[in-house]
Amino acid sequence: MSTAARLVAMLTASHTSLAVAESLTGGMLAAEIVSVPGASAVFRGGVVAYATPVKHSLLGVAAETLAAHGAVHPDVAMQMASGVREALQIGGEAAAIGLATTGAAGPDPQDGQPPGTVFIGVAIGSDVRAVAARFDGDRESVRRQTTERALALLEELLTA
């Protein structure tokens, strides 16, 4: 069973909703989740905030944070994870979990960060955190590794 399938099963069993915000993964994370039959029971959807200004306008990432650090920063990942919960609320109820990816997929550096630098944000209730990762490989490999790590991280946090 894939990590995404295990996550969907866990979220379904606990009636817990999930929303994702993606930058460098460009929809790959959402695609992996919706590849699981039954994901619609728990998956609210995703926002691909690829352009930096969209992180602010749609997900509520502080303009000051983006101006000071750029989009590749742990604070941005955390604010994206929190923001997508609100952006994808239903009936005034925010998603229970927000999962976000931001980073530099390459081939060029972004915001002074070398290719392969990634931050994954997770917001579960009042617990909001970012995890840094560094991946080697080409652009597609970095995106794939980020998707896999984000799903594995959420699974780890939910089973801890």
Side-chain angles (χ1 to χ4, degrees), residues 84-106:
V84 77
R85 292 174 64 197
E86 294 299 324
L88 297 183
Q89 64 179 279
I90 296 174
E93 181 185 324
I97 299 172
L99 182 62
T101 61
T102 190

Side-chain angles (χ1 to χ4, degrees), residues 73-160:
H73 192 270
D75 290 348
V76 173
M78 290 188 294
Q79 290 178 40
M80 288 174 66
S82 294
V84 77
R85 292 174 64 197
E86 294 299 324
L88 297 183
Q89 64 179 279
I90 296 174
E93 181 185 324
I97 299 172
L99 182 62
T101 61
T102 190
D108 300 316
Q110 181 179 342
D111 298 324
Q113 299 289 344
T117 303
V118 169
F119 296 99
I120 300 166
V122 183
I124 304 172
S126 62
D127 181 13
V128 182
R129 64 180 75 186
V131 173
R134 177 81 174 95
F135 300 119
D136 293 320
D138 63 12
R139 180 178 178 75
E140 187 65 17
S141 177
V142 169
R143 293 177 64 232
R144 171 57 51 200
Q145 290 174 81
T146 301
T147 298
E148 292 169 0
R149 180 64 185 119
L151 292 169
L153 173 63
L154 183 54
E155 182 180 35
E156 290 165 19
L157 292 173
L158 293 176
T159 56

Side-chain angles (χ1 to χ4, degrees), residues 28-45:
M28 190 179 283
L29 183 57
E32 191 70 20
I33 295 164
V34 300
S35 73
V36 178
S40 62
V42 294
F43 186 57
R44 293 272 178 97

Side-chain angles (χ1 to χ4, degrees), residues 21-31 47-50 101 139 143 147:
E22 303 182 65
S23 186
L24 82 153
T25 48
M28 190 179 283
L29 183 57
V47 172
V48 177
Y50 204 67
T101 61
R139 180 178 178 75
R143 293 177 64 232
T147 298

